[in-house]
């Protein structure tokens, strides 16, 4: 019986291969990319438990156990970088996550197609601007002679380099992120809304529902599944506030509020060449993110009936 099932399974796999062989060939580069650049390097995480020396290599470096983790958590920077990472990520979720949803809802309600397309194009453009260029623009606009600084000075704010003020770093980081990603992020929600059955809107209108009621009872419920999935993935990145952007914007003057786990790993591993400490902090970061993804997935499946697995 088992032999027969095995033969049937082989025939099924063979038939599936012949039917979708070109799709399988297209998947191979993606699999190779993740295998080479994502999974194979995971074996290098062993240096988090070593006093790693490049000259000795992984096999020749001394084993130190949990010493690197203890050094990090006993350092004066541990609480600071963890706190800053959580604060920045929380603000990004609180203000940045709803922004593309709101934009998609607004665009969906527009009746003028020409104006709608123009607004979509304008909102998409910042996404295609290089992060380095965008950060350069932010640095210039928030300098003591920048446009934004002069506007704020008009409203009574002291003329200063805004990025050198720890009170302004997080708002600037979050607002610039919304500006860059709001248009691109709204695409997935707009595509979902385009698939909503028009009969639902017509039935709601016949029942006397106004535009606001149709939004609450038809449009938003149709977005719940994709919002839940997107939120799960966002929660899974809470401890991974963008290293590149922070490194391009921050300075020692604002380390107190701007230094995150990712930027600390960069300084420890690249600038100070403390490879083992950087690997230990990165491993801690990844474990926390994994736990957050599992929790968010469980919570969403239990209360929203949507999940990644």
């Amino acid at each position: 019986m088992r032999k027969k099932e095995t033969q049937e399974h082989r025939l099924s796999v063979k038939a599936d291969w012949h039917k979708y062989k070109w799709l399988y060939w297209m998947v191979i580069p993606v699999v190779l990319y993740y295998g080479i650049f994502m999974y194979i390097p995971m074996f290098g995480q062993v240096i988090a438990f070593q006093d790693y020396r490049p000259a000795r290599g992984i096999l020749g470096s001394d084993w130190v156990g949990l010493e690197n983790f203890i050094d990090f958590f006993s350092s004066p920077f541990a609480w600071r970088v963890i706190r800053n990472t959580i604060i920045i990520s929380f603000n990004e979720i609180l203000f940045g996550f709803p922004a593309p949803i709101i934009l998609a809802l607004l665009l969906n309600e527009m009746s003028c197609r020409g104006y709608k397309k123009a607004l979509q194009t304008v909102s998409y453009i910042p996404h295609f601007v290089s992060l380095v260029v965008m950060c350069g623009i932010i640095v210039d606009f928030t300098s003591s002679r920048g446009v934004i600084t002069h506007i704020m000075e008009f409203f009574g704010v002291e003329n200063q380099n805004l990025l050198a003020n720890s009170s302004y770093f997080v708002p600037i980081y979050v607002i610039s992120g919304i500006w860059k990603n709001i248009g691109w992020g709204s695409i997935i929600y707009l595509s979902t809304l385009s698939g909503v059955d028009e009969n639902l809107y017509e039935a709601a209108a016949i029942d006397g529902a106004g535009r606001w009621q149709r939004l609450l009872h038809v449009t938003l419920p149709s977005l719940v599944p994709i919002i839940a999935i997107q939120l799960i993935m966002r929660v899974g990145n809470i401890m991974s506030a963008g290293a590149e952007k922070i490194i391009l914007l921050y300075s020692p003057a604002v380390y107190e509020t701007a230094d995150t786990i990712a930027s600390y790993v960069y300084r420890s591993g690249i600038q100070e060449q403390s490879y083992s400490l950087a690997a230990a902090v990165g491993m801690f970061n990844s474990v926390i993110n994994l736990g957050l993804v599992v929790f968010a997935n469980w919570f969403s499946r239990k209360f929203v009936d949507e999940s990644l697995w």
Side-chain angles (χ1 to χ4, degrees), residues 295-308:
F295 171 76
N297 190 77
W298 168 83
F299 186 88
S300 178
R301 185 174 64 249
K302 185 174 180 64
F303 294 98
V304 188
D305 200 26
E306 296 291 341
S307 61
L308 289 174

Side-chain angles (χ1 to χ4, degrees), residues 30-45:
V30 178
V31 173
L32 290 176
Y33 170 79
Y34 279 96
I36 295 171
F37 296 103
M38 301 296 177
Y39 286 95
I40 293 178
M42 289 175 66
F43 293 101
Q45 285 292 325

Side-chain angles (χ1 to χ4, degrees), residues 112-132:
C112 179
R113 294 179 61 86
Y115 183 71
K116 179 179 178 179
K117 289 182 178 180
L119 188 57
Q120 282 181 280
T121 303
V122 171
S123 65
Y124 296 164
I125 289 174
H127 176 79
F128 298 99
V129 177
S130 167
L131 182 62
V132 176

Side-chain angles (χ1 to χ4, degrees), residues 5-21:
E5 290 179 354
T6 303
Q7 290 177 344
E8 291 178 352
H9 178 70
R10 288 177 180 175
L11 291 173
S12 175
V13 170
K14 188 175 181 180
D16 190 68
W17 167 258
H18 283 295
K19 186 176 181 180
Y20 301 108
K21 62 180 179 180

Side-chain angles (χ1 to χ4, degrees), residues 181-201:
N181 298 314
I182 185 172
W184 185 257
S186 67
I187 294 176
I188 190 171
Y189 302 108
L190 284 170
S191 63
T192 302
L193 291 175
S194 66
V196 178
D197 190 354
E198 290 293 332
N199 293 327
L200 295 176
Y201 290 106

Side-chain angles (χ1 to χ4, degrees), residues 12 18 23 32 42 50 59 96 102 105 107 127 156 166 172 206 208 213 244 288 294-295 299:
S12 175
H18 283 295
L23 292 177
L32 290 176
M42 289 175 66
Q50 296 178 327
L59 298 179
I102 295 171
L105 293 173
L107 291 173
H127 176 79
S166 58
I172 291 173
I206 293 173
Q213 291 175 318
E244 299 88 353
I288 297 299
V294 173
F295 171 76
F299 186 88

